Amino acid sequence: SQTIHQWPATLVQPVGSPLSLECTVEGTSNPNLYWYRQAAGRGLQLLFYSVGIGQISSEVPQNLSASRPQDRQFILSSKKLLLSDSGFYLCAWTTLETQYFGPGTRLLVL
Amino acid sequence: AQSVTQLGSHVSVSEGALVLLRCNYSSSVPPYLFWYVQYPNQGLQLLLKYTSAATLVKGINGFEAEFKKSETSFHLTKPSAHMSDAAEYFCAVSENTGFQKLVFGTGTRLLVSP
């Protein structure tokens, strides 16, 4: 069966520091991968999606970037974090018409 | 462009009472519709989905939803609420095409009192 992992689970970072969040999927090949952000009290905002290695589409201009160095690995990065980057970051993958989500990473920028 | 509206950011029910969470969508093409549940500090779990088959969809944990094209609605119901149903619920829509991009509603927090 398919499994999706995210780490770290929780992260506290100072403003201006770099960021790297990792997502990996097991049990499938060539998945579509997604990064979402959920701010406190708000819905989910799609940040990036990828249909293959090295193929990244950005949905919202922002302080973040994404990369897909391997088929089942999706990384969310920032060179300098802003306070507004705080939130709950969720990775997801698609099989047919359904998206399945990872456990999430809670990021607090101070 | 697609959109989803969830009426009521919070819904409170008593244990054993009917649960009704509302979702209306907008889509220019036949949609796929989804309900997800999120427990505190966890990812989203798929409750049920509509993909142009039966309009009444049954999901996990006793939940079901009915697709009503004329009303552009996909409301989530459960006959009898349990304390364990307390969570945040998200409705989402995607186009019935090859690549899936979900558009989510802002969520409804379900509170269940004893």
Side-chain angles (χ1 to χ4, degrees), chain A residues 17-18 35 39 42-43 49 54 58-59 73 75 77 85 88-89 94 97 101 103 105 107:
Chain A
S17 64
W35 277 112
R42 299 177 65 179
Y49 63 91
S58 174
E59 285 291 295
Q73 184 185 31
I75 297 173
S77 303
D85 291 324
F88 193 46
Y89 288 82
T94 298
E97 71 282 343
F101 287 80
T105 294
L107 172 65

Side-chain angles (χ1 to χ4, degrees), chain A residues 63-108:
Chain A
N63 187 42
L64 302 169
S65 62
S67 62
R68 186 169 176 176
Q70 299 179 41
D71 181 43
R72 288 171 287 178
Q73 184 185 31
F74 204 21
I75 297 173
L76 184 69
S77 303
S78 174
K79 292 182 179 179
K80 288 186 178 181
L81 283 168
L82 306 173
L83 287 174
S84 58
D85 291 324
S86 292
F88 193 46
Y89 288 82
L90 290 160
C91 181
W93 72 281
T94 298
T95 175
L96 298 176
E97 71 282 343
T98 303
Q99 282 190 22
Y100 294 95
F101 287 80
T105 294
R106 186 160 300 283
L107 172 65
L108 179 60

